[in-house]
Amino acid sequence: QVQLVESGGGLVQAGGSLRLSCVASGRIFSINGMGWYRQAPGKQREWVAGITNSGWTNYADSVKGRFTISRDNAKNTVYLQMNSLKPEDTGVYYCSVDQRATSYWGQGTQVTVSA
């Protein structure tokens, strides 16, 4: 099993920044893709950003140019730098990692952006 723990969420004003972190631990052999998702109140969970083990990144159109995903393979950690935050970015942010055809999820961290 792989355990994921997210941190870095909080309350921020519109235009502000936050940096989320997600640390993987447990039975780690070779993590492939890592990513971030979010779920706003009353909405379905949506994909935000992803990064492969070679560092290729991809973003949802709604965050492109504002968010940056990165990873530190030595620390089994994935980050999400969020700049120019908007109220519509509010939600619970989850990290997910893929290993040996299995996806693992964290418990989530709340991000609230006030207008």
Side-chain angles (χ1 to χ4, degrees), residues 69-84:
I69 189 171
S70 60
R71 63 191 284 172
D72 185 332
N73 292 330
K75 297 181 179 180
N76 296 318
T77 301
V78 60
Y79 305 96
L80 186 67
Q81 177 67 44
M82 305 185 295
N83 298 329
S84 302

Side-chain angles (χ1 to χ4, degrees), residues 49-64:
I51 184 167
T52 66
N53 56 4
S54 59
W56 183 82
T57 61
N58 199 15
Y59 300 91
D61 288 343
S62 59
V63 307
K64 202 169 292 184

Side-chain angles (χ1 to χ4, degrees), residues 33-46:
M34 307 179 86
W36 288 94
Y37 294 72
R38 67 186 180 189
Q39 187 166 17
K43 295 187 177 181
Q44 289 188 332
R45 189 175 300 186
E46 64 174 356

